[in-house]
Amino acid sequence: MPFKRYVEIGRVALVNYGKDYGRLVVIVDVVDQNRALVDAPDVVRGQMNFKRLSLTDIKIDIPRLPKKKTLIAAMEAADVKNKWENSSWGRKLIVQKRRAALNDFDRFKVMLARIKRGGAIQQELAKLKKQNAS
Amino acid sequence: MRSSVQPPALHGEGRERGKRKKRRRFLGLPDFAMVAFRFHQYQVVGRALPSPTDEHPRIYRMKLWTTNEVRAKSKFWYFLRKLKKVKKSNGQVLAINEIFERKPTKIKNYGIWLRYQSRTGYHNMYKEFRDTALNGAVEHMYNEMASRHRVRYHCIQIIKTATIPAKLCKRESTKQFHNSKIKFPLVFKKVRPPSRKLKTTYKASRPNLFM
């Protein structure tokens, strides 16, 4: 299997460890074999180890070491935020966050909803079984 | 004596200067960056104490890399003793300032000239590092010397450091990153829990190492 996600200038990556966990950043330059210079719209540019980054499929078109304005414009043009939130990876993360932020009453509501959904599925299943049997 | 071959471009300076400089430039370091540098760069300015024979002794300045100021002053006297006839007991430190990185968001190629003591004698060495800050490069150098040559901190003397423009870099390992269209895959994905608290000894399934 050839590689599809490369470390390159403009690659969007997710921080998977450390203080900025969960943040989307753009690789703006490569320091050396282990580190990249990384930038995001609301953060000062800095270096990060590749071990802390998970590369995504999204790549934007930027020159090497763009100014903050250029970076933000390029991210808007490539619509990184929407692409991320609509991707299955992004959606999963949003769901995880949502679940982690539930309070007890929310969890109660979720339980009721699951029972209800389960009941509906069982009804349909029973109907189909009866059809098959007959 | 130290070789006095000067690379053309740079901010690095020799170890002695007759003038006294006191410039304080503090820059807030970005959150991402390794704010916790192990080695700090200090500028120590000192001279012998004035005496009847010498009313205005020559002032010397050194740039050093140590973990703290106290060690910087100590190192200053160590080097100055070896170069001039002055000791801490008959000298004074006039100023000690920490030097911070001017542009911590810019990647630079650092060349470091060092003298180190191996098991069999002293050797000079030139190493190149790519980093955003000189303190980072120095830390990298100490780590690399320890790992590749088993040389510890106290056996290394930094002769000179300089920012090298890309054209003049000598080492292939730094030159391979001088590519504006750099692109490479990450071959091996290390699976890590997002925080050390979530680390477990046993896992239910084997990890998938493909990026």
Side-chain angles (χ1 to χ4, degrees), chain B residues 55-86:
Chain B
E55 291 288 318
H56 299 287
R58 224 204 190 108
I59 304 179
Y60 296 103
R61 177 188 96 130
M62 276 194 77
K63 285 203 213 160
L64 303 159
W65 280 266
T66 54
T67 47
N68 55 37
E69 284 191 7
V70 173
R71 286 188 168 167
K73 282 190 267 187
S74 171
K75 240 195 124 93
F76 172 74
W77 289 120
Y78 166 78
F79 283 123
L80 210 55
R81 264 203 324 264
K82 293 188 178 297
L83 298 167
K84 298 289 158 192
K85 196 102 160 95
V86 61

Side-chain angles (χ1 to χ4, degrees), chain A residues 20-63:
Chain A
D20 298 292
Y21 177 74
R23 197 195 285 274
L24 274 184
V25 292
V26 179
I27 293 178
V28 146
D29 201 355
V30 170
V31 177
D32 64 17
Q33 197 188 357
N34 298 321
R35 290 173 294 172
L37 200 58
V38 128
D39 208 355
D42 52 346
V43 170
V44 182
R45 180 183 296 171
Q47 65 178 340
M48 226 181 209
N49 196 317
F50 288 127
K51 290 186 182 173
R52 292 198 176 193
L53 297 174
S54 301
L55 304 180
T56 65
D57 285 325
I58 309 171
K59 178 182 182 304
I60 64 179
D61 201 6
I62 48 169

Side-chain angles (χ1 to χ4, degrees), chain B residues 18-200:
Chain B
K19 265 186 7 197
R20 175 178 168 175
K21 286 175 117 184
K22 197 167 182 170
R23 244 186 294 152
R24 209 171 255 281
R25 282 178 306 198
F26 177 69
L27 290 167
L29 291 169
D31 266 12
F32 273 160
M34 296 187 286
V35 184
F37 286 124
R38 204 170 124 229
F39 294 101
H40 300 264
Q41 185 182 10
Y42 294 100
Q43 161 192 274
V44 186
V45 181
R47 65 171 188 175
L49 290 168
S51 69
T53 47
D54 192 358
E55 291 288 318
H56 299 287
R58 224 204 190 108
I59 304 179
Y60 296 103
R61 177 188 96 130
M62 276 194 77
K63 285 203 213 160
L64 303 159
W65 280 266
T66 54
T67 47
N68 55 37
E69 284 191 7
V70 173
R71 286 188 168 167
K73 282 190 267 187
S74 171
K75 240 195 124 93
F76 172 74
W77 289 120
Y78 166 78
F79 283 123
L80 210 55
R81 264 203 324 264
K82 293 188 178 297
L83 298 167
K84 298 289 158 192
K85 196 102 160 95
V86 61
K87 296 154 91 157
K88 183 169 174 216
S89 53
N90 53 19
Q92 55 186 189
V93 164
L94 297 170
I96 169 164
N97 309 103
E98 184 165 356
I99 298 178
F100 297 96
E101 185 64 31
R102 219 186 190 159
K103 293 232 179 88
T105 55
K106 179 164 179 262
I107 300 175
K108 299 169 273 280
N109 310 298
Y110 291 103
I112 300 183
W113 286 257
L114 48 129
R115 173 177 185 251
Y116 73 98
Q117 184 180 20
S118 71
R119 294 179 192 148
T120 42
Y122 283 90
H123 310 275
N124 292 336
M125 206 180 247
Y126 166 70
K127 282 190 158 296
E128 274 180 11
F129 298 99
R130 257 172 85 79
D131 203 311
T132 52
L134 183 49
N135 291 351
V138 165
E139 190 173 339
H140 196 170
M141 181 276 289
Y142 278 117
N143 287 336
E144 195 165 304
M145 289 303 288
S147 60
R148 289 192 204 272
H149 305 283
R150 303 296 191 250
V151 178
R152 279 99 196 165
Y153 169 80
H154 47 267
C155 294
I156 296 175
Q157 300 174 355
I158 299 179
I159 301 171
K160 182 165 72 173
T161 62
T163 330
I164 316 270
K167 268 202 302 281
L168 302 169
C169 283
K170 283 169 55 178
R171 304 284 185 248
E172 272 311 310
S173 56
T174 47
K175 291 202 315 205
Q176 69 182 344
F177 292 100
H178 295 154
N179 176 5
S180 64
K181 297 197 176 35
I182 192 163
K183 173 171 160 173
F184 55 89
L186 290 178
V187 175
F188 171 78
K189 172 177 80 166
K190 181 170 174 185
V191 180
R192 270 205 297 196
S195 65
R196 300 213 44 216
K197 209 191 239 180
L198 299 168
K199 188 170 76 150
T200 55

